[in-house]
Amino acid sequence: MVQRIVIVGGGAAGLALASKLGRKFGKNPLIDISLIDKNTVHIWKPKLHEVAVGVIDQSIEGLQYRDHGLKNGYRYIRGAIEQCDPSTKTIQLAPVFNDEGEMIIAARNIEYDTLVLALGGVSNSFNTPGAEKHCIFLDSLDSANLFHHKLMDALLQLNETQDQLGIGIVGAGATGVELAAELHHVIESVREYGYQNISKDHLDINLIEASTKILPQLPEQVSTRAQTVLSKLGVKLHLGVQVKEVTKEGFVTATGETIKANIKVWAAGVKGPKVFENFTQLPVTPRNQIDVDDCMRVKGIDDIYALGDCAQLILPSGKPVPPRAQAAAQMADRLYANICLKMKQQPEKPFVYKDYGSLVSLSRFSAVGNLMGSLRSGDFFVEGHVARLMYISLYQRHLASLYGWFSASVYRIAQKLLRWQRPKLKLH
Ligand SMILES: Cc1cc2nc3c(=O)[nH]c(=O)nc-3n(C[C@H](O)[C@H](O)[C@H](O)COP(=O)(O)OP(=O)(O)OC[C@H]3O[C@@H](n4cnc5c(N)ncnc54)[C@H](O)[C@@H]3O)c2cc1C
């Protein structure tokens, strides 16, 4: 009897899991591994701000699921999950439409023996009026591409009018901070491409944060340093500011002030995907995440697991596993090991989260962060080129989980060489 393992969501967690399982069991005729994703291409989510400003090009740096699956022992299925029925062990995928809006694949049912949900998270607007209508939520490849198109059009116009381009970002977590820093450096690059009339003075970047400091989840020293760097770059910081409405003009704050912005980004908060509202037979939390036990098993259901940002796993400390790439990767490793144990009829082991610290990129040349543990006790502060190299090594680790260390290194060298030939910026 063939065992069907179906993984939905090919991001930091799901793709790493599918790759490991595929490499281990891909040639076993009794184990069938499928990875379902609504996109055809994977970009590591912490790189989305680079897609948004055009520093990386998804058509070159993106991993194509179908090709990767062929080489790594799993089958890729294109589609978006819209229903899950544990009583019949079936999920339903929505129809697939082409760019003209014509249906090219009808809705389908897919049966599983083991189901893994790894759909990631989305930004949380906390029902702020106007946010959905006027903001770009930088939480998917589509939204990063949308931002990129808007930015390129705005810069083209700015070069003619020499007016001011206001960009407002709500949320000074890693996403907001990294985007603000990257935007500043984009101006230098576009000038090299003939946008001579634009200077940094034409860009008005506003970073709005409800907390009284940026990077509120990180140690004081990290946020203070990042704050200094952003201020030097000319990013305006609005700290302790609550946005109560978003309009076409900009962000209306609780004190009634309007922070004007032509391009508005919402990068605050994380919640589970909306589609989970349809999963009435699964335990879904108020933040739309799937409630799982310490082995990532959906509470009360034996054959369904959830991991990464879409899952709520409460640690022994009482805190949930944070929505971070390192947590998603660690969860994928544990679930892979547990699926192997289960096949050998051995008990699964609980997930143990290890916080290695956090690194925040401040564009191509610098980063800032704290590292935990292994080099000395407690955490310590890193910044500049060293932090940047460490930040790059995180991506290298992700690639290694997808390709293996040797191929990942070859891939990175090839990418570096290609960069000499390619434009510094994706300009359209
Ligand atoms: C701009 C940005 C910067 C970040 N920077 C950092 C950082 O510096 N450090 C850090 O630790 N973390 C960072 N994060 C958070 C980190 O990226 C996430 O915690 C991590 O990617 C979560 O992994 P995941 O596998 O759970 O979800 P994801 O990586 O989001 O993957 C989810 C996958 O599910 C697919 N999917 C979604 N819905 C459906 C559906 N209905 N049907 C089928 N497929 C679906 C998506 O296409 C995607 O491929 C950042 C996030 C963002 C948005």
Side-chain angles (χ1 to χ4, degrees):
M1 183 79 166
V2 177
Q3 279 294 308
R4 295 156 302 182
I5 302 175
V6 174
I7 302 162
V8 189
L15 183 55
L17 179 65
S19 308
K20 278 177 169 254
L21 287 172
R23 286 201 287 267
K24 172 96 174 166
F25 300 113
K27 293 202 171 89
N28 185 335
L30 295 179
I31 300 174
D32 183 74
I33 299 148
S34 303
L35 175 69
I36 299 171
D37 201 287
K38 58 184 181 180
N39 292 323
T40 53
V41 169
H42 162 78
I43 290 273
W44 194 47
K45 218 175 188 179
K47 290 214 152 252
L48 279 188
H49 65 282
E50 295 184 37
V51 176
V53 297
V55 171
I56 64 172
D57 184 342
Q58 71 165 80
S59 64
I60 296 165
E61 299 213 7
L63 171 151
Q64 293 196 27
Y65 290 115
R66 202 171 287 283
D67 174 63
H68 187 258
L70 180 72
K71 292 172 180 155
N72 288 275
Y74 66 85
R75 181 184 325 114
Y76 162 67
I77 300 172
R78 181 175 165 191
I81 190 171
E82 59 177 13
Q83 273 296 352
C84 172
D85 183 355
S87 60
T88 57
K89 292 195 168 196
T90 309
I91 56 169
Q92 191 181 69
L93 302 187
V96 178
F97 297 91
N98 66 14
D99 290 343
E100 283 75 47
E102 296 154 356
M103 191 171 73
I104 48 174
I105 310 177
R108 295 150 287 169
N109 284 341
I110 300 211
E111 293 177 353
Y112 62 83
D113 296 297
T114 301
L115 176 67
V116 179
L117 298 170
L119 274 69
V122 292
S123 304
N124 192 347
S125 71
F126 306 100
N127 296 324
T128 306
E132 303 274 343
K133 184 171 177 199
H134 298 289
C135 293
I136 297 174
F137 289 67
L138 201 57
D139 54 14
S140 68
L141 197 47
D142 284 347
S143 60
N145 283 324
L146 176 66
F147 180 92
H148 180 250
H149 287 137
K150 276 190 187 263
L151 178 67
M152 288 302 137
D153 285 351
L155 291 176
L156 192 63
Q157 194 179 20
L158 191 61
N159 196 46
E160 295 300 317
T161 61
Q162 291 153 56
D163 212 342
Q164 279 260 304
L165 173 61
I167 301 182
I169 305 165
V170 176
T175 307
V177 168
E178 290 179 344
L179 179 66
E182 200 73 60
L183 274 169
H184 176 86
H185 291 289
V186 159
I187 295 298
E188 288 165 19
S189 300
V190 286
R191 279 178 63 79
E192 290 176 32
Y193 287 104
Y195 293 65
Q196 291 296 339
N197 302 331
I198 306 179
S199 75
K200 286 169 188 164
D201 298 337
H202 294 112
L203 201 59
D204 180 31
I205 305 174
N206 290 276
L207 188 56
I208 308 163
E209 169 60 50
S211 168
T212 51
K213 60 174 197 166
I214 68 168
L215 300 170
Q217 312 295 335
L218 300 190
E220 194 68 41
Q221 198 179 6
V222 178
S223 60
T224 308
R225 184 68 193 130
Q227 205 159 307
T228 309
V229 172
L230 289 188
S231 299
K232 271 194 191 153
L233 291 176
V235 175
K236 290 183 193 144
L237 302 174
H238 304 264
L239 301 177
V241 173
Q242 206 100 38
V243 171
K244 73 166 194 334
E245 191 186 351
V246 188
T247 64
K248 196 166 181 288
E249 282 65 47
F251 298 98
V252 183
T253 72
T255 55
E257 184 202 354
T258 297
I259 299 167
K260 289 194 173 167
N262 307 84
I263 301 179
K264 296 167 268 300
V265 177
W266 194 281
V270 178
K271 62 177 182 176
K274 191 164 172 48
V275 69
F276 283 169
E277 288 169 11
N278 303 343
F279 292 18
T280 48
Q281 295 180 58
L282 269 55
V284 178
T285 70
R287 286 178 68 194
N288 256 9
Q289 289 169 305
I290 303 281
D291 202 7
V292 296
D293 67 16
D294 56 3
C295 290
M296 289 166 271
R297 199 182 296 105
V298 175
K299 284 189 178 163
I301 303 175
D302 264 354
D303 305 306
I304 309 184
Y305 297 85
L307 75 170
D309 288 1
C310 76
Q312 175 186 272
L313 190 161
I314 303 291
L315 295 165
S317 64
K319 289 186 179 164
V321 174
R324 286 157 70 179
Q326 60 169 312
Q330 289 176 36
M331 288 171 118
D333 285 347
R334 184 66 260 157
L335 189 52
Y336 165 73
N338 278 354
I339 289 174
C340 294
L341 286 172
K342 207 175 166 188
M343 285 181 184
K344 290 189 246 164
Q345 318 277 322
Q346 289 176 12
E348 296 164 62
K349 292 186 184 165
F351 172 69
V352 178
Y353 175 59
K354 180 128 182 52
D355 185 355
Y356 291 103
S358 297
L359 290 162
V360 177
S361 167
L362 298 172
S363 154
R364 268 157 290 169
F365 313 104
S366 185
V368 62
N370 69 314
L371 298 179
M372 312 284 276
S374 55
L375 297 176
R376 56 174 228 209
S377 56
D379 71 326
F380 63 98
F381 175 73
V382 279
E383 68 172 322
H385 290 298
V386 176
R388 179 70 195 162
L389 283 175
M390 287 175 166
Y391 181 84
I392 291 168
S393 78
L394 294 179
Y395 183 46
Q396 186 66 21
R397 264 180 206 212
H398 173 64
L399 292 178
S401 72
L402 308 185
Y403 298 102
W405 278 104
F406 178 72
S407 301
S409 304
V410 172
Y411 173 87
R412 283 299 283 169
I413 292 166
Q415 290 292 332
K416 287 263 171 238
L417 291 173
L418 266 173
R419 270 185 188 255
W420 278 340
Q421 286 299 318
R422 289 196 332 243
K424 279 188 195 162
L425 268 190
K426 185 170 179 266
L427 293 158
H428 54 83

